[in-house]
Amino acid sequence: MKIIINRATNPFYNLALEKFFLMNAPEELFILWQNGASVIIGKNQILKNEVNLNVVQQKHITVARRITGGGAVYHDLGNVNFTFILPLGEEYVHDSIQKIVQALKKYGIDAEVSGRNDILANGCKISGMAQIQTENWQLLHGTLLYDVHLDTMQAVLTPSQNKMEKHGVRSVKSRVANIKEIMEQDVNTEFFFSFLERHFKEYNRLEEKIVTEEEKKHIQVIISELSEQQWIYKDELIQKIFDVDDNIKFSLIVERDVIKEIHFWGDFIDAKNISILEKKLQGCAYKKEDIYKVLKRNESIFREMDLNILCDKMIKVR
């Protein structure tokens, strides 16, 4: 594994860089990076349901959509982000998360993993993660809240109250905390970034990789894809999106009693599997029993969702 110290702060460049190395990984990689003020939404999220677009415009905050699932996040230069490009296998994900926890403990934070994609300290969330797989590699990336402007985060991110209550909190701000606050030390984000760089180079013995000019040319092509309005605002191009519950929604096109096109919307952590399910449903007969069979084989995606309810919703909308 090698380390890339990415000092760019443009969200589109940073998202393009990690996508490029996911698709063209020469070896395992660890990337440290930061974004300027921006909102990064999950691949399958409905933008207007998660983000206050008026505040985004007023504060000149960039909006971008990433290739991984999960929820919307707010970034600024008080946030440090990390990306792992890994071989396939859950053990690699587990080991990588533990590397982050070890680094935080070395810094003096009593961090612990919570669920599939959060790191907590003092009972508050300081990191959220998401991932995606290709045929050969997987990408795991996440945030580390160090000195983020939490008031702006709360103003920009607007998840539903039901979603907040599922986490047992009243607001975005009440659920998270800055590492700087927990440490009670007046040390800036640059110091924390440099600490992580030193830690991974020395403790994990990672050699630094420099992004080549040729690689940057390919990254520029991906930037143009990720910055297209059709990608960022793709949910707005769908004529009708139907509710299943507070999080899960779907859009559907049926022709001659066969599903021609279907898309699910929500905070799906595993963006790859939801895309695979969508493809499996394309061409499926528009009958409850046929749809149910496909969903049943992929029920882990929907966790606590009653598949009968989901099927009924899909049949009734036509």
Side-chain angles (χ1 to χ4, degrees):
M1 179 181 285
K2 289 186 178 179
I3 184 172
I4 295 176
I5 305 302
N6 175 20
R7 285 296 186 173
T9 58
N10 181 304
F12 297 113
Y13 176 84
N14 293 337
L15 293 172
L17 181 144
E18 62 175 12
K19 181 179 179 180
F20 169 77
F21 283 111
L22 172 65
M23 305 305 295
N24 302 275
E27 59 194 316
E28 293 179 60
L29 293 171
F30 174 66
I31 308 169
L32 272 179
W33 51 287
Q34 290 179 287
N35 278 336
S38 52
V39 174
I40 315 298
I41 65 170
K43 179 183 177 182
N44 300 97
Q45 286 194 296
I46 297 175
L47 179 59
K48 65 181 180 181
N49 290 356
E50 308 296 329
V51 178
N52 187 324
L53 294 175
N54 289 330
V55 174
V56 163
Q57 293 171 358
Q58 292 168 8
K59 293 182 175 290
H60 305 289
I61 295 170
T62 302
V63 176
R65 187 184 292 272
R66 62 183 186 267
I67 62 172
T68 57
V73 292
Y74 172 75
H75 290 178
D76 61 26
L77 294 179
N79 189 80
V80 178
N81 306 306
F82 59 87
T83 302
F84 288 94
I85 307 296
L86 303 165
L88 299 180
E90 191 62 31
E91 67 274 17
Y92 292 102
V93 173
H94 173 78
D95 289 347
S96 297
I97 294 173
Q98 288 306 311
K99 284 183 172 68
I100 297 296
V101 171
Q102 289 167 3
L104 290 169
K105 288 182 180 295
K106 188 74 173 179
Y107 194 71
I109 294 291
D110 188 17
E112 60 178 343
V113 180
S114 174
R116 290 183 63 194
N117 64 322
D118 290 347
I119 297 176
L120 307 183
N122 287 7
C124 293
K125 179 177 176 177
I126 59 171
S127 175
M129 292 168 280
Q131 62 190 92
I132 191 171
Q133 296 180 354
T134 64
E135 291 184 2
N136 301 307
W137 295 91
Q138 59 184 329
L139 179 152
L140 170 73
H141 60 184
T143 60
L144 287 169
L145 305 180
Y146 186 80
D147 191 19
V148 175
H149 200 295
L150 297 181
D151 289 334
T152 301
M153 175 186 287
Q154 179 160 333
V156 168
L157 300 183
T158 58
S160 70
Q161 192 59 37
N162 287 342
K163 195 183 295 185
M164 286 288 95
E165 289 172 357
K166 286 181 181 178
H167 292 287
V169 295
R170 292 172 295 175
S171 68
V172 172
K173 186 178 177 182
S174 66
R175 188 185 177 209
V176 301
N178 277 318
I179 293 170
K180 184 177 178 179
E181 295 174 15
I182 296 172
M183 292 292 293
E184 296 182 348
Q185 294 179 1
D186 190 19
V187 178
N188 62 26
T189 310
E190 178 59 32
F191 181 89
F192 180 62
F193 189 106
S194 298
F195 163 81
L196 291 173
E197 178 181 350
R198 291 195 308 274
H199 176 85
F200 277 90
K201 284 181 175 178
E202 297 170 8
Y203 184 83
N204 296 109
R205 299 180 180 179
L206 301 189
E207 177 186 345
E208 185 168 354
K209 170 183 166 46
I210 305 299
V211 181
T212 68
E213 292 303 315
E214 185 63 27
E215 289 167 338
K216 288 178 181 178
K217 291 178 183 178
H218 294 291
I219 291 168
Q220 287 297 324
V221 175
I222 301 174
I223 289 173
S224 64
E225 298 169 359
L226 296 182
S227 58
E228 286 182 354
Q229 298 297 290
Q230 293 94 324
W231 168 252
I232 300 169
Y233 297 94
K234 64 178 183 176
D235 55 290
E236 295 186 2
L237 302 177
I238 305 296
Q239 289 186 351
K240 181 65 177 175
I241 295 177
F242 304 96
D243 292 345
V244 178
D245 63 14
D246 186 57
N247 180 42
I248 299 174
K249 307 177 191 301
F250 67 92
S251 55
L252 180 69
I253 297 175
V254 177
E255 290 185 359
R256 297 180 182 179
D257 294 323
V258 171
I259 296 175
K260 180 181 179 182
E261 188 172 335
I262 184 166
H263 296 287
F264 290 99
W265 305 88
D267 300 352
F268 301 108
I269 299 301
D270 194 334
K272 179 187 178 183
N273 282 345
I274 198 67
S275 296
I276 291 173
L277 173 60
E278 290 168 347
K279 290 178 181 177
K280 287 181 178 179
L281 283 167
Q282 290 174 14
C284 177
Y286 190 58
K287 299 177 182 178
K288 180 176 178 178
E289 55 268 30
D290 292 67
I291 295 171
Y292 184 86
K293 288 178 183 177
V294 178
L295 293 177
K296 185 66 177 175
R297 290 194 291 268
N298 299 271
E299 63 181 336
S300 62
I301 296 174
F302 298 103
R303 299 187 185 180
E304 300 175 0
M305 166 61 61
D306 186 323
L307 296 184
N308 279 300
I309 293 176
L310 177 54
C311 287
D312 287 341
K313 294 272 188 178
M314 292 171 64
I315 292 297
K316 289 177 181 178
V317 299
R318 188 178 180 187

